[in-house]
Short mmCIF file of all heavy atoms in Angstrom, two decimals:
data_model
loop_
_atom_site.label_atom_id
_atom_site.label_comp_id
_atom_site.label_asym_id
_atom_site.label_seq_id
_atom_site.Cartn_x
_atom_site.Cartn_y
_atom_site.Cartn_z
N GLY A 5 19.00 -13.69 -4.38
CA GLY A 5 18.91 -13.07 -5.71
C GLY A 5 19.53 -13.89 -6.77
O GLY A 5 20.36 -14.78 -6.54
N LEU A 28 -22.04 0.72 1.96
CA LEU A 28 -20.85 1.54 2.02
C LEU A 28 -20.19 1.55 0.63
O LEU A 28 -20.16 0.54 -0.05
CB LEU A 28 -19.88 1.04 3.07
CG LEU A 28 -20.28 1.21 4.52
CD1 LEU A 28 -19.24 0.54 5.45
CD2 LEU A 28 -20.49 2.65 4.84
N GLY A 30 -16.61 3.25 -1.54
CA GLY A 30 -15.41 4.03 -1.51
C GLY A 30 -15.53 5.33 -2.27
O GLY A 30 -16.58 5.62 -2.87
N GLN A 34 -11.34 11.56 -7.70
CA GLN A 34 -12.10 12.80 -7.95
C GLN A 34 -13.22 13.04 -6.97
O GLN A 34 -13.94 13.99 -7.09
CB GLN A 34 -12.66 12.80 -9.38
CG GLN A 34 -11.62 12.96 -10.45
CD GLN A 34 -10.81 11.68 -10.77
OE1 GLN A 34 -11.34 10.61 -10.61
NE2 GLN A 34 -9.54 11.82 -11.09
N ASN A 38 -17.36 4.91 -5.59
CA ASN A 38 -16.92 3.75 -6.34
C ASN A 38 -16.69 2.61 -5.39
O ASN A 38 -15.92 2.74 -4.41
CB ASN A 38 -15.63 4.10 -7.10
CG ASN A 38 -15.12 2.95 -7.94
OD1 ASN A 38 -15.19 1.78 -7.62
ND2 ASN A 38 -14.51 3.30 -9.09
N LEU A 43 -11.90 4.01 1.23
CA LEU A 43 -12.64 4.87 2.09
C LEU A 43 -11.82 6.12 2.36
O LEU A 43 -10.59 6.13 2.14
CB LEU A 43 -12.94 4.17 3.43
CG LEU A 43 -13.92 3.00 3.39
CD1 LEU A 43 -13.94 2.31 4.79
CD2 LEU A 43 -15.31 3.49 3.02
N PRO A 44 -12.41 7.19 2.89
CA PRO A 44 -11.59 8.36 3.24
C PRO A 44 -10.42 8.00 4.13
O PRO A 44 -9.32 8.55 3.97
CB PRO A 44 -12.63 9.30 3.93
CG PRO A 44 -13.88 8.99 3.23
CD PRO A 44 -13.83 7.47 3.01
N GLY A 51 -1.80 8.82 1.88
CA GLY A 51 -0.97 9.99 2.10
C GLY A 51 0.11 9.76 3.14
O GLY A 51 1.26 10.23 2.99
N LEU A 53 1.60 6.91 3.57
CA LEU A 53 2.62 6.10 2.92
C LEU A 53 3.58 6.97 2.11
O LEU A 53 4.81 6.71 2.11
CB LEU A 53 2.00 5.05 1.96
CG LEU A 53 1.39 3.85 2.63
CD1 LEU A 53 0.57 3.04 1.64
CD2 LEU A 53 2.43 2.96 3.31
N GLY A 62 8.61 13.54 4.66
CA GLY A 62 8.47 13.00 6.01
C GLY A 62 9.83 12.61 6.52
O GLY A 62 10.83 12.67 5.80
N ALA A 76 1.15 -2.52 -8.72
CA ALA A 76 -0.19 -2.86 -8.25
C ALA A 76 -0.80 -3.80 -9.27
O ALA A 76 -0.30 -3.87 -10.43
CB ALA A 76 -1.09 -1.55 -8.16
N HIS A 83 -7.52 2.64 -16.98
CA HIS A 83 -8.47 3.43 -16.22
C HIS A 83 -9.16 2.63 -15.16
O HIS A 83 -9.41 3.05 -14.06
CB HIS A 83 -9.52 4.11 -17.13
CG HIS A 83 -8.91 5.17 -18.02
ND1 HIS A 83 -8.31 6.29 -17.48
CD2 HIS A 83 -8.83 5.26 -19.34
CE1 HIS A 83 -7.88 7.07 -18.50
NE2 HIS A 83 -8.14 6.43 -19.63
N ALA A 87 -8.69 2.80 -10.85
CA ALA A 87 -9.89 2.98 -10.02
C ALA A 87 -9.96 1.92 -8.89
O ALA A 87 -10.99 1.85 -8.21
CB ALA A 87 -11.15 2.90 -10.88
N TYR A 91 -3.90 0.31 -6.47
CA TYR A 91 -3.35 1.38 -7.23
C TYR A 91 -3.51 2.73 -6.44
O TYR A 91 -2.52 3.49 -6.27
CB TYR A 91 -4.03 1.51 -8.57
CG TYR A 91 -3.42 2.52 -9.55
CD1 TYR A 91 -2.54 2.08 -10.55
CD2 TYR A 91 -3.69 3.89 -9.45
CE1 TYR A 91 -2.00 2.97 -11.41
CE2 TYR A 91 -3.14 4.76 -10.30
CZ TYR A 91 -2.27 4.33 -11.29
OH TYR A 91 -1.71 5.19 -12.16
N GLY A 102 7.49 10.80 -8.53
CA GLY A 102 7.55 10.93 -9.98
C GLY A 102 7.71 9.58 -10.67
O GLY A 102 8.30 9.46 -11.69
N VAL A 122 12.23 -10.72 -9.83
CA VAL A 122 13.55 -11.24 -9.59
C VAL A 122 14.42 -11.21 -10.86
O VAL A 122 15.65 -10.92 -10.79
CB VAL A 122 13.48 -12.68 -8.99
CG1 VAL A 122 14.80 -13.32 -8.97
CG2 VAL A 122 12.83 -12.62 -7.65
N HIS A 135 -4.80 -8.47 0.15
CA HIS A 135 -4.16 -9.18 1.26
C HIS A 135 -4.21 -10.72 1.14
O HIS A 135 -3.32 -11.37 1.58
CB HIS A 135 -4.77 -8.71 2.61
CG HIS A 135 -6.11 -9.22 2.96
ND1 HIS A 135 -7.27 -8.73 2.35
CD2 HIS A 135 -6.50 -10.17 3.87
CE1 HIS A 135 -8.31 -9.36 2.88
NE2 HIS A 135 -7.89 -10.23 3.77
N LEU A 140 1.03 -15.47 -1.38
CA LEU A 140 1.38 -16.17 -2.68
C LEU A 140 2.57 -15.47 -3.34
O LEU A 140 3.50 -16.13 -3.84
CB LEU A 140 0.23 -16.18 -3.62
CG LEU A 140 -1.04 -16.91 -3.13
CD1 LEU A 140 -2.21 -16.74 -4.10
CD2 LEU A 140 -0.71 -18.42 -2.95
N ILE A 141 2.58 -14.14 -3.32
CA ILE A 141 3.76 -13.41 -3.87
C ILE A 141 4.97 -13.72 -3.02
O ILE A 141 6.04 -14.05 -3.57
CB ILE A 141 3.49 -11.90 -3.89
CG1 ILE A 141 2.31 -11.54 -4.77
CG2 ILE A 141 4.75 -11.14 -4.33
CD1 ILE A 141 1.83 -10.12 -4.58
N VAL A 148 15.84 -17.59 1.47
CA VAL A 148 16.84 -18.39 2.11
C VAL A 148 16.18 -19.59 2.77
O VAL A 148 15.10 -19.51 3.33
CB VAL A 148 17.62 -17.52 3.17
CG1 VAL A 148 18.50 -18.40 4.05
CG2 VAL A 148 18.39 -16.43 2.53
N THR A 151 13.38 -19.97 5.77
CA THR A 151 12.57 -18.81 5.97
C THR A 151 11.06 -19.22 6.06
O THR A 151 10.58 -19.99 5.20
CB THR A 151 12.73 -17.81 4.76
OG1 THR A 151 14.08 -17.45 4.71
CG2 THR A 151 11.84 -16.60 4.93
#
Side-chain angles (χ1 to χ4, degrees):
L28 292 176
Q34 288 77 33
N38 182 324
L43 290 173
L53 285 171
H83 292 297
Y91 186 100
V122 171
H135 75 286
L140 299 172
I141 298 169
V148 171
T151 301

